[in-house]
Amino acid sequence: MKAAVFYGEKDIRVEDVEDPTPSEGEVLLSPRYCGICGTDLDAWNRGMYALGVVIGHEFSAEVVEVGPDVTEWKKGDRVVANSIIPCKKCGFCRKGKYSLCDDLYMPGITVNGGLAELVVLPSDCLVSIPESVTLQEAALTEPLSVVLHGFNLINFEPGQTALVLGAGTIGLFAAQAALVNGASIVAVSEINAFRRQLAGKLGAHHVIDPMKSNISFVFEEMAGQSPDCVIECTGAASAASETFSLVRKGGTVLVLGISEDPVEADFMTGVLNELTFQFSYCGHSEFPEALNLIAHNMVDARNLITKEITLDAILEGFRELMNPDSNNVKILVKI
Ligand SMILES: [Zn+2]
Ligand SMILES: [Zn+2]
């Protein structure tokens, strides 16, 4: 079968590898659509995935064959695979905090993932795709579950205001999740004009170009006060630093973007204003909720998909997403 294999920094090759076969408790899947994620770009730039692994952790698939003792799935079932497979034994797992599992593995990062014609995964990591959700939309379940996990960690109340920094996949889902959670005002700050426009189309009440306007000033003028919640989705150290002064007194900052550079933190403001910072990593239990929100048109995943490419063209997709002027949000690989 054909697969995109990670060989290290700036070295991902689409090549023929041996077909996998399912053992007990496993299912053989045929991935259909797989998103290229910012984490994949980081791995491409910094080489942090397991060497030799088949990449791809945001994918929808169809069941091809089930292992000897698997009864809950059958050929043709449409599924997404959870992006983390926890041990279900450690202290964190026992408390339901699966993203903190001491012994988790991650398809497409530590074990073979979905950018391949076939992949074998444990049957209990699969979630059924509702009928009204397309295989393309379902490929965005993982990033939406990341956002929902963040919201599950904070106490966002209906009527509160939210400012989202960055309108990539995570930011655009965060803006929509704020609306689903009853936000009275959602503003999105984004440097790219296309993504700003998309944020507006997806329901953000206000969009801000941070290169042209002072975010605090614009938000306060519009909402009467600073945001109750700032959601950092850019992964840029400068934006993360700015959250201290953007959020209102007593407010919450939800950090979803991963800044690999050190972030200057204004602890003085943090203390004086009694700010709450919540960092959030991966969704796990949120997968069904994510699919449900897409199925009921409460979150729009379709309009985040800006391009479809073939598996052979995957490096073009990487290059396109790394171009800061690119008008792409989510590029899906059709397999
Ligand atoms: Zn991802
Ligand atoms: Zn565990």
Side-chain angles (χ1 to χ4, degrees):
M1 66 158 184
K2 214 191 269 182
V5 182
F6 183 75
Y7 281 95
E9 213 179 294
K10 309 264 188 312
D11 192 1
I12 290 170
R13 302 176 210 164
V14 176
E15 59 185 18
D16 271 318
V17 300
E18 210 177 307
D19 286 5
T21 46
S23 309
E24 277 180 22
E26 292 180 333
V27 174
L28 178 67
L29 301 172
S30 158
R32 286 298 146 92
Y33 290 93
C34 183
I36 303 174
C37 165
T39 315
D40 297 325
L41 301 182
D42 287 343
W44 165 262
N45 284 318
R46 296 171 199 245
M48 78 232 190
Y49 284 0
L51 294 183
V53 84
V54 174
I55 63 169
H57 61 272
E58 302 180 357
F59 64 98
S60 59
E62 281 174 4
V63 173
V64 176
E65 192 187 325
V66 298
D69 58 341
V70 174
T71 53
E72 64 270 44
W73 303 107
K74 60 177 191 315
K75 187 174 167 22
D77 282 347
R78 303 183 327 141
V79 295
V80 291
N82 215 306
S83 58
I84 51 178
I85 302 178
C87 76
K88 295 190 177 165
K89 288 183 196 131
C90 73
F92 290 112
C93 282
R94 283 203 301 271
K95 286 184 195 143
K97 297 185 174 191
Y98 297 114
S99 52
L100 298 178
C101 171
D102 283 328
D103 196 19
L104 58 77
Y105 59 103
M106 307 171 98
I109 294 174
T110 64
V111 295
N112 289 346
L115 275 169
E117 288 170 328
L118 295 168
V119 62
V120 161
L121 286 169
S123 66
D124 63 357
C125 83
L126 305 179
V127 182
S128 180
I129 301 172
E131 224 170 86
S132 59
V133 177
T134 65
L135 288 166
Q136 286 97 322
E137 291 169 320
L140 278 85
T141 308
E142 193 272 340
L144 178 54
S145 77
V146 165
V147 169
L148 298 178
H149 183 63
F151 272 86
N152 284 339
L153 293 177
I154 60 171
N155 191 18
F156 191 90
E157 287 166 14
Q160 288 194 321
T161 61
L163 167 65
V164 177
L165 303 181
T169 304
I170 297 293
L172 291 169
F173 276 149
Q176 296 187 76
L179 291 166
V180 167
N181 280 279
S184 58
I185 292 177
V186 176
V188 176
S189 165
E190 163 63 46
I191 50 175
N192 177 286
F194 169 78
R195 287 196 281 268
R196 271 202 308 279
Q197 198 190 6
L198 186 52
K201 187 174 161 183
L202 296 173
H205 301 107
H206 294 271
V207 291
I208 303 165
D209 178 355
M211 305 305 274
K212 289 207 179 114
S213 312
N214 178 303
I215 304 173
S216 275
F217 182 78
V218 173
F219 195 96
E220 268 179 54
E221 201 175 44
M222 164 191 68
Q225 62 167 5
S226 305
D228 297 308
C229 181
V230 173
I231 308 168
E232 198 322 90
C233 305
T234 67
S238 56
S241 288
E242 223 187 332
T243 57
F244 284 85
S245 58
L246 287 172
V247 72
R248 73 154 167 79
K249 283 185 188 179
T252 299
V253 176
L254 173 60
V255 183
L256 299 174
I258 301 176
S259 167
E260 294 187 11
D261 298 317
V263 174
E264 245 178 64
D266 177 6
F267 272 29
M268 172 90 151
T269 300
V271 169
L272 294 182
N273 288 353
E274 299 191 348
L275 303 181
T276 300
F277 273 75
Q278 177 66 58
F279 297 85
S280 176
Y281 184 31
C282 279
H284 179 270
S285 319
E286 291 82 1
F287 268 63
E289 186 189 349
L291 283 163
N292 199 36
L293 287 171
I294 298 171
H296 291 93
N297 296 319
M298 292 173 78
V299 168
D300 181 339
R302 189 165 19 101
N303 277 299
L304 271 61
I305 303 165
T306 46
K307 193 170 191 167
E308 273 181 29
I309 59 173
T310 62
L311 188 53
D312 287 316
I314 183 169
L315 293 183
E316 280 165 44
F318 272 60
R319 274 191 284 274
E320 201 150 327
L321 288 172
M322 275 184 287
N323 173 3
D325 298 324
S326 161
N327 285 343
N328 270 299
V329 177
K330 183 56 73 185
I331 295 182
L332 288 189
V333 180
K334 185 175 192 293
I335 302 157

